[in-house]
Amino acid sequence: MAFEKIKVENPIVEMDGDEMTRVIWRLIKEKLILPFLEIDIKYFDLGLPHRDATDDRVTIESAEATLKYNVAVKCATITPGTVFREPILCKNIPRLVPEPTTADKSIELEVFNFTGSGGVALSMYNTDESIHAFAEASMNTAYKKRWPLYLSTKNTILKKYDGRFKDIFQQVYETEWRSKFEAMGIWYEHRLIDDMVAYSLKSEGGYVWACKNYDGDVQSDFLAQGFGSLGLMTSILVCPDGKTIEVEAAHGTVTRHYRVYQKGGETSTNSIASIFAWSRGLAHRAKLDSNALLLDFTQNLEAACITNVESGKMTKDLAILLHGPKVTRAQYLNTEEFIDAVAEDLRGRLPKRAKM
């Protein structure tokens, strides 16, 4: 008996990554995706060496392709370190010199006159257009899920910066979403970030939490670790229209495991977040294309992951939670063994056809 591959009518964008996640990404594609799907994958290598070789042009090209095809799946990538310029000193006052946009090369902006031995300054900006899009995406998500929406900021400290987020969210809600939310019995509310964190700890979920970037990074990692492992957390980036998405594992490239892998050692890296990046991206493709067979495949792929873990087949990070820090090698699977176990379970869930 052979598998009849499911035909995927429209392409998806694939963004490859770095280090250990690049290794498991390849295994997922080879063992869990290509054997079962007839699919056009638009491949972009976002590994750091290729980004450097193309002067990061490949990143722009992958984003443009995502806008064109609406669905992207992304492997975890390295965030390159920023090379900081030496501060320009004038009368012992540190100054920021922005990149000149005109012929005038003498533009200077005084940041702060330090009266002590020195210090640091923080400068950041956001556009109203970007904040408006963030608000639209958040409210669109809450509406689709039929869940209330909370925005968290620290506008008591960052009065103008965070206050701008608060004001624009409220404006978007009042002019475009309040009547829709109230008709559904849900609501939007702004809360201080510390109050929101306290609320999340005692809540049972069932709401959408709009976090600014740093707050979102901290809280999502906090919740993922509380539920077992960062290896279980997948991130879905949604455009305001709800049509275009990019899905990726929300953790890093697992450098420590990669160093062991490079030396030929055995690793036990949790691939579930990366597997779900593929499944959630493909599920969105299925919904856009009204492809019931593809949607069923994604559900079976996720169920295969869950069933394996519930039956005791898991990577070391999860086995430690079950058996304690003295877990033995017999109590967990290595990186490739886990993906093989998922593939075997998946094959048992999918229909087969007789060879012609």
Side-chain angles (χ1 to χ4, degrees):
M1 302 289 282
F3 290 98
E4 183 173 8
K5 289 189 177 184
I6 298 166
K7 184 173 178 58
V8 183
E9 295 294 336
N10 291 297
I12 66 165
V13 174
E14 176 195 356
M15 304 176 189
D16 210 346
D18 293 290
E19 298 189 325
M20 197 63 207
T21 44
R22 187 181 180 96
V23 175
I24 65 175
W25 192 260
R26 173 181 55 80
L27 292 172
I28 292 167
K29 187 176 176 181
E30 290 177 354
K31 295 173 180 285
L32 302 178
I33 306 301
L34 295 182
F36 306 105
L37 302 181
E38 182 182 328
I39 183 171
D40 181 9
I41 297 176
K42 306 299 184 183
Y43 176 84
F44 295 88
D45 185 358
L46 265 59
L48 194 57
H50 191 63
R51 277 184 282 160
D52 186 52
T54 62
D55 198 24
D56 215 29
R57 178 64 197 172
V58 65
T59 303
I60 297 171
E61 291 171 350
S62 67
E64 291 171 343
T66 303
L67 289 174
K68 180 178 180 180
Y69 298 111
N70 302 122
V71 180
V73 293
K74 180 180 176 294
C75 179
T77 53
I78 292 172
T79 301
T82 303
V83 178
F84 292 97
R85 296 183 180 137
E86 289 296 320
I88 298 174
L89 302 180
C90 181
K91 296 180 181 178
N92 296 320
I93 301 174
R95 297 177 183 269
L96 279 181
V97 181
E99 291 292 334
T101 56
T102 68
D104 184 1
K105 304 295 184 182
S106 62
I107 301 173
E108 291 186 353
L109 174 66
E110 182 175 319
V111 177
F112 191 77
N113 187 356
F114 293 107
T115 57
S117 60
V120 294
L122 171 67
S123 178
M124 57 186 178
Y125 78 95
N126 218 308
T127 64
D128 286 355
E129 180 184 19
S130 174
I131 300 170
H132 192 282
F134 176 31
E136 283 285 351
S138 301
M139 293 185 191
N140 194 16
T141 300
Y143 185 74
K144 288 182 177 179
K145 288 184 171 291
R146 297 175 175 263
W147 290 351
L149 169 67
Y150 298 99
L151 166 69
S152 60
T153 75
K154 194 65 173 177
N155 68 308
T156 52
I157 303 299
L158 300 172
K159 294 180 175 64
K160 291 187 177 180
Y161 189 85
D162 278 20
R164 193 69 166 173
F165 280 78
K166 179 177 180 290
D167 292 346
I168 290 177
F169 262 71
Q170 193 66 42
Q171 179 188 25
V172 170
Y173 179 62
E174 296 293 346
T175 58
E176 302 174 39
W177 290 94
R178 177 182 280 277
S179 61
K180 297 178 183 178
F181 273 42
E182 290 180 347
M184 194 175 285
I186 59 175
W187 59 90
Y188 159 71
E189 183 180 324
H190 169 266
R191 291 192 176 188
L192 290 174
I193 180 62
D194 39 344
D195 177 43
M196 191 65 208
V197 171
Y199 173 75
S200 72
L201 288 175
K202 66 179 182 181
S203 78
E204 296 182 357
Y207 57 86
V208 174
W209 184 355
C211 292
K212 288 165 57 250
N213 187 48
Y214 174 79
D215 294 335
D217 288 347
V218 172
Q219 303 314 320
S220 58
D221 282 18
F222 175 77
L223 290 171
Q225 196 66 56
F227 277 95
S229 170
L230 295 180
L232 299 177
M233 184 169 64
T234 300
S235 169
I236 303 177
L237 308 178
V238 185
C239 282
D241 63 4
K243 184 178 181 181
T244 302
I245 71 167
E246 178 206 301
V247 196
E248 60 184 304
H251 55 68
T253 55
V254 203
T255 304
R256 181 170 55 86
H257 287 200
Y258 186 57
R259 296 291 176 253
V260 174
Y261 173 83
Q262 284 179 309
K263 296 177 182 178
E266 183 181 60
T267 64
S268 182
T269 311
N270 191 337
S271 56
I272 292 177
S274 292
I275 294 172
F276 272 58
W278 278 96
S279 66
R280 294 298 163 94
L282 290 167
H284 189 68
R285 177 80 279 161
K287 292 173 183 176
L288 292 177
D289 299 347
S290 299
N291 189 334
L293 288 176
L294 178 59
L295 185 60
D296 182 65
F297 168 80
T298 65
Q299 293 168 348
N300 280 316
L301 176 54
E302 293 182 2
C305 290
I306 295 168
T307 299
N308 269 279
V309 173
E310 289 180 342
S311 68
K313 298 176 183 177
M314 62 190 75
T315 46
K316 188 176 181 180
D317 58 325
L318 299 179
I320 288 173
L321 297 175
L322 186 63
H323 302 290
K326 295 183 179 180
V327 61
T328 66
R329 178 61 184 86
Q331 293 171 319
Y332 66 87
L333 303 178
N334 68 28
T335 303
E336 192 162 0
E337 286 172 348
F338 179 77
I339 295 175
D340 285 339
V342 173
E344 182 179 0
D345 188 288
L346 178 61
R347 282 192 292 270
R349 295 171 183 270
L350 299 178
K352 302 178 181 67
R353 63 176 175 83
K355 290 184 178 180
M356 301 301 292

